[in-house]
Amino acid sequence: MKKVTKTAALVLAMAMAVSALTACGGADKAAETANTEAAGAAGTENADAGQSSAVTTKTEGVLTFGTNAEFPPFEFVAGNGVIDQYDGIDIAIAKQIAEENGMTAAIENMEFPSLLIALENGQIDAAIAGMTVTEDRKESADFTIPYYTATQVMIVKEDSDIAAAADMADKKICVIEGYTGEICVQDMGYPYEAFKKGTEAVMELVNGKCDVVVIDSATAQKYINDNEGLKIVEDASAFESEEYAIAVKKGNTELLDMLNKAIEAKLADGTISELAAKYTEEVTAE
Ligand code: ARG
């Protein structure tokens, strides 16, 4: 049994790491209509609120979300003295969804590449982590409709001559382990160094030990606000848009339906854009 679990974990880890090939252009195209579709569903959703807690979760009455709280403004470890340790757009969404369905939200912080394994093992009910939907990840988990659109960007020093993705060819590139940014750079065939946390990669850049960090747009914005002398370079022809969605264990349609209803409603009534604006300003204001 143990062996089987280990093998499954390995397969998942590989799927996540290789997650590949499609990520730079691999955002789920079918999902792109989600924003408009959501509008029609809002009215009926409110009528249902409060009576849809029939889902089976790991712990009764608790909806356990896995995340990797190293990805502001979506999830980060909140400052000292704050009772709720984790905060961000995803954390707020998770708490609201749990509450609206008569449950409380529990957050389990783990390394990003472990999230799909934790789902498979039943350690968490759902993963909310600014996670891009890719064809490869869809092999290991089921995804809700997307709630946010992002893209990979390049963070460079203000005086950098990198103006497009192709300019990274002879540069020292930093990425974050298991993120779609790593997959994109891999696909481009450039050598790179992978770090566990965005902050670590950005420190390398600040200290002049690397020339460019490839990471998601909103998170990049947070890092350039926090560090002097950095700028963002975009290249829409190299990095296509990506959709973030919540992942559940494959086949858990009960929970998937509940989450989809909640996301549809939150897209339609503006909750998600408000949260995005709030946390973007919050991180910008620091
Ligand atoms: N969107 C990127 C991906 O899916 C990065 C997500 C990182 N999320 C996090 N919570 N650390 O690979």
Side-chain angles (χ1 to χ4, degrees), residues 67-71 75 112 129-132 137 152 178-181 216 242 244:
T67 196
N68 167 253
E70 296 292 343
F71 197 62
E75 43 268 334
F112 187 76
M131 189 183 282
T132 303
R137 289 175 183 170
Q152 297 301 307
Y179 286 19
T180 40
D216 301 53
E242 301 184 10
Y244 295 171

Side-chain angles (χ1 to χ4, degrees), residues 37-279:
E37 275 171 14
T44 47
E45 176 54 23
N46 286 341
D48 281 347
Q51 57 176 36
S52 47
S53 56
V55 301
T56 312
T57 55
K58 179 195 163 195
T59 309
E60 207 189 324
V62 179
L63 195 50
T64 305
F65 287 92
T67 196
N68 167 253
E70 296 292 343
F71 197 62
F74 292 92
E75 43 268 334
F76 49 92
V77 180
N80 287 335
V82 181
I83 296 167
D84 278 330
Q85 235 187 317
Y86 306 112
D87 202 3
I89 300 167
D90 285 343
I91 307 299
I93 293 173
K95 285 184 181 165
Q96 286 185 12
I97 294 179
E99 270 165 36
E100 286 160 10
N101 288 280
M103 293 180 270
T104 51
I107 306 293
E108 286 208 20
N109 193 20
M110 61 188 75
E111 289 187 358
F112 187 76
S114 304
L115 286 165
L116 295 188
I117 299 160
L119 270 182
E120 180 63 27
N121 291 345
Q123 189 189 335
I124 54 174
D125 296 309
I128 186 160
M131 189 183 282
T132 303
V133 183
T134 69
E135 289 306 320
D136 287 316
R137 289 175 183 170
K138 283 202 294 197
E139 309 265 301
S140 333
D142 287 340
F143 285 90
T144 62
I145 57 164
Y147 60 90
Y148 192 88
T149 303
T151 181
Q152 297 301 307
V153 299
M154 295 167 280
I155 312 178
V156 297
K157 286 248 172 100
E158 248 158 21
D159 59 1
S160 168
D161 57 3
I162 295 177
D167 297 333
M168 294 195 293
D170 55 349
K171 305 284 190 199
K172 186 153 180 251
I173 307 171
C174 286
V175 299
I176 326 306
E177 238 173 77
Y179 286 19
T180 40
E182 176 178 19
I183 297 157
C184 287
V185 173
Q186 238 165 39
D187 288 354
M188 290 170 184
Y190 302 143
Y192 61 85
E193 193 176 344
F195 291 82
K196 288 221 182 297
K197 300 177 179 184
T199 46
E200 292 169 359
V202 170
M203 272 309 115
E204 289 284 294
L205 176 62
V206 168
N207 295 332
K209 291 189 193 146
C210 84
D211 303 306
V212 52
V213 175
V214 177
I215 195 163
D216 301 53
S217 39
T219 305
Q221 188 59 48
K222 153 76 178 159
Y223 290 137
I224 67 149
N225 292 338
D226 283 1
N227 296 277
E228 294 275 299
L230 302 181
K231 67 176 180 186
I232 288 176
V233 177
E234 294 178 40
D235 186 343
S237 60
F239 306 110
E240 286 180 22
S241 70
E242 301 184 10
E243 311 275 2
Y244 295 171
I246 304 177
V248 300
K249 186 174 183 165
K250 243 190 174 330
N252 190 352
T253 48
E254 207 182 41
L255 181 57
L256 193 68
D257 287 350
M258 192 198 93
L259 294 173
N260 273 334
K261 276 188 192 158
I263 293 172
E264 271 184 35
K266 287 180 195 311
L267 284 171
D269 70 7
T271 305
I272 291 183
S273 18
E274 273 164 34
L275 283 173
K278 177 186 163 198
Y279 282 100

